[in-house]
Amino acid sequence: MIRKLGRNDLCWCGSGKKYKQCHEEFDHRIELIRKQGHSVPDHSMIKTPEQIEKIRESAKVNIEVLDTVADKICIGMSTEDIDRIVYEVTTRHGAIPAPLNYEGFPKSVCTSINDAVCHGIPSEEEILQDGDIINVDASTILNGYFSDSSRMFLIGNVSEENKKLVEVVRESVYLGLEQVKPWGFLGDMGQAVNDHVKAHGYSVVREIGGHGVGIEFHEEPWVGYTTKRGTDMLLVPGMMFTIEPMVNMGRPEIFVDEENDWTVYTEDGSMSAQWEIQVLVTEDGHEIISY
Ligand code: MF3
Ligand code: CO
């Protein structure tokens, strides 16, 4: 039998406080918004302060991984070399690279060059060339908690056109971030991202998005960039998710490499860029957890 939580029962959040002194009003507020027809988060999407602290620790490793890649990446290096750096830094901290063996993924990090949109597999044969743009997407498990972020790197002399793509996508992520606040909507973020990339004539990939993260690698909600302001899921404090738009210089369509069943490319062969940050919704706005 499931009994409704009484006002004097302990709160579901694990604070040890009575429900009426903790999340009761919060739940009522969410319920009102749900009744207005909005999609709202359930309790499983709300992290406790203890969980958030553990996830921050994981993110510290993830950030150090990408900082180390940033220091070392250069022309002539193979993407396998990047994989080795990621594995070494991650395991040195007693952490596990989340991509390794994830649904059969064979390496510790995703490396996606030029028209590769995401999920590129590091290889000894793939050598960074002058003018390449590359996304390095790192994810870490520390003590069972997940962090996930990615950055773009410019290799040697990159054309102005390609530099612009990389810069605009980064801007779009931070414009989206500005919209992340409690009692706002995921669509506020999505529209800010999409408006910015569209204004530059680029297109955002529709099939692959961000995701809740922290307790699992990929949690609810799914985070797209084609929803409008005031729509999509309600945001409340304690939610954590990634903002990670993949943006193509040309058409938005993509395909998956049949050889490895992983790497995603732009259908028209145009360049693609992506930045990913992991974000927490706080009481008064947001906090970047990993970048
Ligand atoms: N890091 C990617 C993300 O942002 C997921 C990569 S899954 C992998 O969700 F298996 F390809 F690593
Ligand atoms: Co992600």
Side-chain angles (χ1 to χ4, degrees):
M1 190 180 94
I2 300 168
R3 200 169 67 86
K4 196 170 168 285
L5 195 59
R7 300 191 64 226
N8 287 312
D9 291 340
L10 292 180
C11 188
W12 53 262
C13 79
S15 63
K17 289 195 246 175
K18 286 183 177 175
Y19 184 45
K20 66 181 181 190
Q21 282 150 2
C22 199
H23 278 92
E24 187 186 39
E25 234 181 81
F26 175 88
D27 282 348
H28 279 159
R29 190 166 175 188
I30 293 178
E31 183 57 15
L32 280 176
I33 296 168
R34 191 184 67 78
K35 280 185 177 148
Q36 288 164 5
H38 289 287
S39 147
V40 301
D42 60 40
H43 293 164
S44 73
M45 291 181 221
I46 298 165
K47 268 85 183 163
T48 67
E50 293 74 23
Q51 291 170 331
I52 292 166
E53 198 39 50
K54 298 282 195 182
I55 299 165
R56 274 201 201 96
E57 291 300 315
S58 171
K60 271 190 206 157
V61 177
N62 209 57
I63 292 163
E64 186 176 325
V65 164
L66 287 174
D67 285 347
T68 310
V69 170
D71 270 356
K72 303 204 162 157
I73 199 165
C74 61
I75 300 177
M77 188 182 251
S78 73
T79 48
E80 180 81 27
D81 293 329
I82 298 172
D83 191 73
R84 269 193 285 268
I85 294 167
V86 171
Y87 185 83
E88 201 279 313
V89 176
T90 308
T91 53
R92 193 188 334 134
H93 290 284
I96 303 163
L100 192 57
N101 301 321
Y102 172 78
E103 292 187 5
F105 193 81
K107 298 285 175 177
S108 296
V109 65
C110 298
T111 49
S112 308
I113 302 175
N114 298 337
D115 62 327
V117 172
C118 65
H119 301 166
I121 303 176
S123 151
E124 207 71 78
E125 263 98 74
E126 193 175 47
I127 309 295
L128 299 183
Q129 311 284 335
D130 189 27
D132 280 347
I133 59 171
I134 179 174
N135 174 274
V136 178
D137 188 341
S139 321
T140 297
I141 314 172
L142 181 66
N143 300 319
Y145 293 87
F146 289 79
S147 51
D148 183 7
S149 55
S150 81
R151 303 183 198 168
M152 294 297 296
F153 298 101
L154 305 174
I155 307 302
N157 290 303
V158 171
S159 71
E160 287 306 315
E161 196 188 17
N162 292 349
K163 263 194 216 164
K164 184 82 189 166
L165 173 70
V166 170
E167 197 43 45
V168 167
V169 180
R170 187 179 150 84
E171 287 164 5
S172 79
V173 167
Y174 287 88
L175 286 168
L177 176 68
E178 277 177 30
Q179 296 296 318
V180 175
K181 52 185 172 313
W183 314 106
F185 295 93
L186 215 39
D188 305 346
M189 182 284 296
Q191 181 167 354
V193 169
N194 204 5
D195 283 355
H196 191 62
V197 306
K198 265 167 83 181
H200 286 84
Y202 307 141
S203 49
V204 69
V205 170
R206 293 168 292 204
E207 297 87 339
I208 317 172
H211 49 92
V213 58
I215 313 298
E216 305 280 348
F217 196 173
H218 298 116
E219 305 169 354
E220 281 195 277
W222 189 80
V223 179
Y225 313 93
T226 54
T227 49
K228 295 292 171 195
R229 167 169 292 285
T231 73
D232 208 345
M233 191 176 281
L234 174 72
L235 300 177
V236 302
M239 287 172 79
M240 197 185 281
F241 55 88
T242 66
I243 302 177
E244 51 171 314
M246 295 157 201
V247 176
N248 302 345
M249 195 176 279
R251 304 274 317 151
E253 289 79 17
I254 54 174
F255 70 93
V256 180
D257 187 339
E258 279 178 17
E259 305 267 288
N260 65 26
D261 253 344
W262 274 105
T263 313
V264 175
Y265 292 95
T266 60
E267 202 168 271
D268 63 5
S270 69
M271 293 285 148
S272 189
Q274 176 189 29
W275 292 82
E276 174 178 20
I277 57 175
Q278 178 172 345
V279 175
L280 170 71
V281 183
T282 61
E283 291 296 330
D284 54 6
H286 54 253
E287 177 188 325
I288 298 175
I289 299 293
S290 188
Y291 57 87

